[in-house]
Amino acid sequence: GHNALLDENVKGGALDADYTVATIENCDIKNFTAADGGAVYTSGASLTITNSNFYHCISNKTGDTNGGGAVQTTAATVNVSDSTFIDCEAQFQGGGLYHNNAREGSSFIMTGSTFANCSARAGGGVETLAQKANVTNCTFTNCRAETKGDAAGTNGGGLNIYSGHSENLNTTSAT
């Protein structure tokens, strides 16, 4: 596996894209570990993930902040489509993906994506703080919000929308 953890401040084991528009398309990303965003960390205007796969990615930062086993982003707009997150975990939030932006106008749109065997204390598959969330035709299988260390497991085994409101939640499957 790949391990980018040199200290507790490392972001994005494969990609750290700050203050930019980021697009990940047709990628297979496997076995990365970092403090924030095990494989990918982005900030900036937007993040788009299309037809990409994330396998066994880990955010191992301890404490009650951040996460994103595969991806952590503070982008205002996040669009994820036709992508897969398998065996990803975070010590705190968003086992597969953590979207940390609750500002006015922030949005999270996800379609046709799958999360399997992902875990975190909150949002085992996904956690978003977006003001508007739209999740359509997505599958969450065996994703867990569970106890990590001395802290109790909290919200959303598959999906946790923490603030704002959801406009459309149409998940194909949640087991």
Side-chain angles (χ1 to χ4, degrees), residues 11-175:
K11 296 177 181 178
L15 172 66
D16 180 0
D18 285 329
Y19 310 108
T20 188
V21 172
T23 300
I24 298 169
E25 188 171 2
N26 299 319
C27 293
D28 283 331
I29 299 173
K30 301 176 184 179
N31 302 317
F32 280 94
T33 299
D36 296 321
V40 174
Y41 177 89
T42 70
S43 65
S46 68
L47 169 63
T48 300
I49 300 172
T50 306
N51 194 35
S52 294
N53 303 299
F54 297 85
Y55 304 98
H56 197 262
C57 296
I58 300 168
S59 167
N60 63 359
K61 185 172 188 175
T62 57
D64 288 346
T65 59
N66 300 323
V71 176
Q72 179 180 329
T73 183
T74 61
T77 302
V78 175
N79 291 289
V80 179
S81 62
D82 303 316
S83 295
T84 303
F85 298 76
I86 297 175
D87 296 327
C88 297
E89 68 178 82
Q91 293 299 310
F92 192 54
Q93 296 163 300
L97 188 150
Y98 176 48
H99 178 216
N100 182 10
N101 188 327
R103 293 181 195 103
E104 184 69 31
S106 61
S107 67
F108 180 82
I109 300 165
M110 187 167 64
T111 58
S113 294
T114 299
F115 292 79
N117 304 316
C118 295
S119 66
R121 276 184 42 207
V126 175
E127 177 161 288
T128 180
L129 280 63
Q131 290 296 307
K132 294 183 180 181
N134 186 330
V135 178
T136 306
N137 296 327
C138 293
T139 301
F140 299 88
T141 303
N142 197 34
C143 293
R144 304 165 309 283
E146 60 186 21
T147 300
K148 299 279 186 183
D150 63 352
T154 54
N155 303 304
L159 172 66
N160 187 32
I161 299 172
Y162 190 73
S163 67
H165 67 277
S166 58
E167 294 178 333
N168 180 19
L169 292 180
N170 179 11
T171 57
T172 1
S173 172
T175 57

